[in-house]
Amino acid sequence: MADLLTLGVLISGSGSNLQSIIDQIERGALNARIASVISNNSEAYGLTRAQKHGIPHTVLNHQDFENREDFDREMLRVLTDAGVELVVLAGFMRILSPFFLRAFPDRIINIHPALLPAFPGTHVQQKALDYGVRFSGCTVHFVDEGVDTGPIIIQAVVPVFAGDTAQTLADRILKEEHKIYPQAIRYFADGRIVKNGRRVEIRDAGSQDAALCNPPLDR
Ligand code: GRF
């Protein structure tokens, strides 16, 4: 068996994506271990999840630091001490400095609750509703210096229904997040990701050729 991939997971809130990663690791479906969870918010429920599973966790409040780089330097220290190889942003509400990005080239990934490049940034479920798109979804991507602009690894699509609120849409998307984030990490752990500029190829991934229509075509 290949060595376990060592993960560092950065959170700011509920940590349901963190939980989905923990669950797959514990089920033996993901050849990885989480060596460090860092939250910039001491109230984040994700910290309790880490604690319940015996995962080392650290609170670093960005307000305690002079500037972004000092904060990132301390995160880098914690992650490096823990031997982290892949940094997983799971609802982490801070922008990373170029200094931090350079420390983990092609080794930082993020999950975003929209089909990028549509709707980067925040409050994106409401933006999808306001725009009237028929499908939204989620994206796992490498992190670069932009906001939600990095190369795409995997996406899942969900329909948007007439009666949706931002919350019902977010819930539908989140269910898919919990599937694709562990999958993306598995690709990484198994060495199946080939990055070519902004295009990412996944080795042996098969293909999806079914077209989706929402609303469906008349029969
Ligand atoms: C998710 O919707 C994720 O896509 C976004 O922040 C949310 C985090 O949720 N980046 P959780 O903390 O993993 O439950």
Side-chain angles (χ1 to χ4, degrees), residues 20-119:
S20 72
I21 298 163
I22 294 172
D23 291 347
Q24 293 238 0
I25 290 174
E26 292 189 351
R27 216 178 291 148
L30 184 53
N31 205 14
R33 69 185 184 102
I34 303 175
S36 174
V37 168
I38 300 178
S39 174
N40 66 319
N41 165 16
S42 61
E43 306 283 300
Y45 182 65
L47 290 165
T48 307
R49 298 182 194 269
Q51 185 170 14
K52 280 187 183 161
H53 291 268
I55 297 168
H57 48 285
T58 309
V59 176
L60 294 178
N61 184 343
H62 54 276
Q63 287 164 341
D64 294 343
F65 295 82
E66 287 256 299
N67 53 48
R68 192 178 297 279
E69 196 156 314
D70 283 358
F71 172 69
D72 283 6
R73 201 179 304 280
E74 184 56 13
M75 281 205 304
L76 179 58
R77 192 191 62 73
V78 173
L79 295 171
T80 308
D81 284 357
V84 165
E85 297 166 291
L86 179 69
V87 179
V88 176
L89 310 186
F92 184 64
M93 299 303 287
R94 302 283 306 162
I95 293 184
L96 297 167
S97 60
F99 158 80
F100 187 91
L101 298 179
R102 276 197 298 273
F104 290 99
D106 291 340
R107 285 178 169 267
I108 308 175
I109 59 176
N110 181 44
I111 188 151
H112 181 74
L115 289 177
L116 292 171
F119 311 121

Side-chain angles (χ1 to χ4, degrees), residues 11 13-18 49 89-93 110-113 125 174 177-178:
I11 61 167
S14 152
S16 70
N17 278 290
L18 166 66
R49 298 182 194 269
L89 310 186
F92 184 64
M93 299 303 287
N110 181 44
I111 188 151
H112 181 74
Q125 296 91 348
L174 198 58
E177 294 185 35
H178 298 160

